Amino acid sequence: MASVPRALRRVFLVLTALAVTLLSSAVAARPALADQAPSNPNTAPYAADLLDWLSELPRRMHTKVVSGQFVSPNYGRPEYGMPTVQDAWDYHVEELHDLTGEYVGLVGFDPSNRTYQGGTAAENMPDFTNFRQLAKDYSDQGGIVHLTWHAANPFSGAHAWSTIPSGHTLAEIATTGTAANTQWMTWLDAIADGLQWFEDNQVPVIWRPFHELNGGWFWWGGGSNPDFVTVWRHMYDYLTATRGLDNLLWAWSPDVGQAFGTKVTARYPGNGYVDIVAFDRYGASYTNRTYYDHFRSATYGKVLGFSEVGLATGTGGNSTVVLNEIKTHFPDMAFFMFWMRMSTNFSIRGNPGAADLMNDPWTLNLDEIGVSVPLPTIVDDASAAFTYGGTWTHSADPLYHAGTKSVSNTAGAWAEATFTGTSLRVHARKLPSGGKFDVYVDGAFVASADTYAVADYSQAGVFQRGGLAAGSHTVRLVLNGSNPASSGAWVGLDYLAYQ
């Protein structure tokens, strides 16, 4: 592994940030297609701009998913060979750059003290000082700062992986006069002080408290659903209204490895208290779209991401699995964050495929953060730009883009559109009875696309081609049967995207 002095790396990052700034200023200003209003109406412009930029990413053709790596809790991880936060930073960020030539776009930290080790209430006081300069420097270079708080138990002083004592309720921490509330407010004041430092330095923060709220391993996972909403809103109101912190983007983060149900939906605090819906998912299979389909609906209208992912070293895991599943099943995800090296090494650096992941055209790394790019033009199936031949049924369907679909299972039926650009993407529904269609560009056969999938999901990118000559092109999609695994030959055309 090449050894590069850290001082030279800092120079490189500063120059990279300058280049990004110059390029950003050179791009003509234009509104994003789906600006998302922050939950806090007083959100600082630099934080609101970050949210707008994240909300735009799913519409890009490439460089559309921010790479991320969790680095360390405040106290380092001496038991895993990283006694300080700087040691963890060197392993997860600097050595990943040495290996791949790229710096991640998002870095994660945790202000907790002694989360596993327990300790007294005083020893569990949150602390930002061991990582805040690293985080600020990265933000100054264009990176995104993501903070997760594994809060200690205010009822017992135990670590996050504990329970609420019998006879007590979660709502007590939001109830003035209770012992739990007195302890909680001491810690919450320390959290506010730490976040204030970031606001004073104009650092936007993705703030993720009470994550994996639908599991049973953290103390905040116990208690009733209304109690959880009360506690979330209490923290939100205290940090935003009482303490005036306007640099926060609030990430609500369920664990998608758990069954979907009211423990998830009834614990959603409301759109006025959430900016980002960020899922936690470990393992090599990411194909369950129940959570994704529910929260990507217009009812919520939030930026989506994977706030924790991880693959176990030595189990055949490959870092590219995460991105490939995003491409195939979760195209609206704006970012992913790998967890750190522990007794199981979940990090990007610790798994095969790191270089492939970091250098994939979809991956958006530090040198590309904040850069505006032209967005593709969308041509909906119901647009007059489309012409159809053969048997098609055109109807309304809320699962499709713009609420319309064009469906056929007749071999030889075709759909055609003309566009001006150098790249093209076709979106359709994928389902167990999905069929195939052949793609012709300017009269020449290019490839076959298959809409069969074990799971049923809509708005899937089923064909993409770049490198076309600049100018006008005509694309024709011709239905052509199905693969042997499919129970039918149905094609549900949704839209084209080109640029």
Side-chain angles (χ1 to χ4, degrees):
M1 178 184 302
S3 177
V4 180
R6 188 172 298 128
L8 292 181
R9 291 172 178 166
R10 295 289 187 201
V11 170
F12 166 78
L13 288 172
V14 170
L15 291 176
T16 296
L18 177 60
V20 168
T21 300
L22 292 175
L23 180 57
S24 298
S25 64
V27 177
R30 50 114 178 81
L33 290 184
D35 283 355
Q36 181 181 319
S39 59
N40 172 14
N42 297 318
T43 295
Y46 57 84
D49 287 347
L50 173 59
L51 188 65
D52 284 348
W53 181 80
L54 289 170
S55 73
E56 175 188 287
L57 295 184
R59 289 159 179 80
R60 292 188 177 190
M61 299 287 277
H62 52 80
T63 55
K64 59 184 293 177
V65 185
V66 178
S67 60
Q69 175 65 60
F70 181 78
V71 176
S72 181
N74 174 65
Y75 57 88
R77 290 315 285 256
E79 68 270 44
Y80 304 126
M82 295 174 289
T84 69
V85 176
Q86 184 66 59
D87 294 322
W89 178 271
D90 289 344
Y91 177 84
H92 290 104
V93 178
E94 299 291 1
E95 291 185 23
L96 178 65
H97 171 261
D98 291 343
L99 180 67
T100 68
E102 295 287 349
Y103 284 99
V104 288
L106 176 151
V107 290
F109 296 96
D110 183 347
S112 300
N113 266 331
R114 305 184 60 171
T115 53
Y116 266 120
Q117 293 88 334
T120 67
E123 289 169 330
N124 279 309
M125 181 70 73
D127 191 352
F128 295 73
T129 56
N130 288 343
F131 66 81
R132 67 185 188 183
Q133 194 62 47
L134 281 169
K136 177 189 178 300
D137 289 348
Y138 217 64
S139 177
D140 289 346
Q141 294 148 13
I144 300 171
V145 176
H146 181 293
L147 301 183
T148 297
W149 184 24
H150 284 86
N153 190 326
F155 296 90
S156 63
H159 53 65
W161 293 262
S162 60
T163 59
I164 298 172
S166 177
H168 294 273
T169 66
L170 182 63
E172 288 178 38
I173 72 171
T175 304
T176 303
T178 65
N181 174 259
T182 298
Q183 178 57 79
W184 184 246
M185 294 310 299
T186 300
W187 290 340
L188 202 54
D189 274 335
I191 286 292
D193 292 343
L195 294 173
Q196 183 67 60
W197 185 89
F198 284 98
E199 184 176 52
D200 292 344
N201 285 277
Q202 296 193 1
V203 175
V205 171
I206 295 178
W207 175 239
R208 186 174 71 120
F210 303 126
H211 68 296
E212 299 174 6
L213 52 109
N214 52 327
W217 43 91
F218 295 129
W219 60 263
W220 55 82
S224 72
N225 295 335
D227 284 355
F228 179 86
V229 171
T230 295
V231 167
W232 178 284
R233 292 182 177 181
H234 172 266
M235 177 189 284
Y236 184 100
D237 290 340
Y238 183 75
L239 293 183
T240 56
T242 303
R243 293 298 300 265
L245 292 167
D246 297 328
N247 62 324
L248 306 181
L249 301 178
W250 289 73
W252 180 81
S253 184
D255 184 281
V256 301
Q258 303 298 299
F260 186 81
T262 57
K263 196 170 183 181
V264 179
T265 56
R267 290 190 171 213
Y268 183 72
N271 286 342
Y273 297 87
V274 174
D275 297 299
I276 296 169
V277 175
F279 307 113
D280 288 11
R281 184 70 173 98
Y282 286 81
S285 176
Y286 292 77
T287 57
N288 185 341
R289 284 176 43 115
T290 306
Y291 282 78
Y292 174 77
D293 285 336
H294 181 85
F295 286 106
R296 77 195 288 241
S297 73
T299 299
Y300 299 95
K302 302 298 181 182
V303 166
L304 302 178
F306 277 125
S307 49
E308 282 188 37
V309 296
L311 301 165
T313 302
T315 61
N318 186 301
S319 294
T320 59
V321 166
V322 173
L323 186 62
N324 290 339
E325 289 295 340
I326 290 174
K327 290 179 181 180
T328 306
H329 298 105
F330 309 99
D332 286 353
M333 290 299 190
F335 64 88
F336 58 82
M337 185 174 75
F338 276 69
W339 206 241
M340 67 181 297
R341 185 182 82 186
M342 300 169 63
S343 55
T344 297
N345 195 336
F346 292 116
S347 69
I348 301 175
R349 167 75 179 84
N351 281 276
D356 291 336
L357 170 70
M358 295 297 291
N359 289 283
D360 190 282
W362 270 49
T363 304
L364 208 161
N365 299 315
L366 179 66
D367 58 338
E368 299 155 318
I369 294 290
V371 176
S372 247
V373 299
L375 295 176
T377 299
I378 304 294
V379 181
D380 187 64
D381 69 286
S383 166
F386 261 113
T387 56
Y388 293 89
T391 302
W392 290 85
T393 299
H394 309 282
S395 60
D397 192 322
L399 293 179
Y400 284 70
H401 174 266
T404 64
K405 65 182 178 183
S406 296
V407 177
S408 178
N409 69 341
T410 304
W414 56 266
E416 185 176 279
T418 298
F419 67 96
T420 300
T422 59
S423 58
L424 166 72
R425 189 169 65 229
V426 180
H427 288 252
R429 187 169 186 171
K430 299 195 78 170
L431 68 168
S433 60
K436 298 171 66 175
F437 59 84
D438 294 334
V439 181
Y440 295 82
V441 176
D442 300 331
F445 173 78
V446 175
S448 291
D450 194 346
T451 69
Y452 165 77
V454 175
D456 183 346
Y457 61 99
S458 57
Q459 300 187 34
V462 295
F463 170 82
Q464 183 163 332
R465 180 58 54 94
L468 301 175
S472 178
H473 301 281
T474 298
V475 57
R476 175 174 285 214
L477 315 176
V478 182
L479 272 64
N480 185 20
S482 62
N483 75 49
S486 179
S487 62
W490 291 97
V491 170
L493 181 61
D494 199 343
Y495 66 93
L496 304 182
Y498 68 86
Q499 63 182 168

